[in-house]
Amino acid sequence: METLNKIKQQIEQNTILLYMKGSPKLPSCGFSSQASQALMACGEKFAYVDILQNPDIRAELPAYAQWPTFPQLWIEGELIGGCDIIIEMFQKGELQPLIKQAAQRSASE
């Protein structure tokens, strides 16, 4: 239960949150690398959680999110998806405005 509370808190406290393997500057898997690069290209700050450093979150998050894989992108408390979805949205130009608007709403709170 403690881990679920931690996950909920992270999602609530961070407008743009990426659960990934490694960090944006030093990703530990290709999918996390692609996802974080797409996010960085959007030009807004985002938080991340390295699931390799947090095995409890790595174990619990897939059930909580009902999404089996990593990375996972959460924006304003909503699961957006994994690497394929992030890249597809970025290439279609859908991710950038979503990230910008979320960052602007967060800054004006």
Coordinates of all heavy atoms in Angstrom, one line a residue, residues 31 41 62 81 97 108:
F31 N 14.0 2.4 -25.4 CA 12.7 2.9 -25.4 C 12.6 4.1 -24.5 O 12.0 5.2 -24.8 CB 11.6 1.9 -24.9 CG 11.5 0.7 -25.9 CD1 11.9 -0.5 -25.4 CD2 11.1 0.9 -27.2 CE1 11.8 -1.6 -26.3 CE2 11.0 -0.2 -28.0 CZ 11.4 -1.5 -27.6
A41 N 12.7 17.4 -26.4 CA 12.6 18.2 -27.6 C 11.3 19.2 -27.5 O 11.2 20.1 -28.3 CB 12.4 17.3 -28.8
P62 N 2.8 -1.0 -13.1 CA 2.1 -1.6 -14.2 C 0.6 -2.0 -13.8 O -0.3 -1.8 -14.5 CB 2.9 -2.9 -14.5 CG 4.3 -2.5 -14.2 CD 4.1 -1.7 -12.9
G81 N 0.8 7.1 -22.2 CA 1.2 5.9 -22.9 C 2.7 5.7 -22.8 O 3.4 6.3 -22.0
P97 N 2.1 20.5 -28.1 CA 1.1 21.4 -27.5 C 0.6 20.8 -26.2 O 0.3 21.6 -25.2 CB 0.0 21.5 -28.5 CG 0.2 20.4 -29.5 CD 1.7 20.1 -29.4
S108 N 0.9 28.6 -13.9 CA -0.1 29.6 -13.5 C -0.8 29.2 -12.2 O -1.6 30.0 -11.7 CB -1.0 29.9 -14.6 OG -1.9 28.8 -14.9

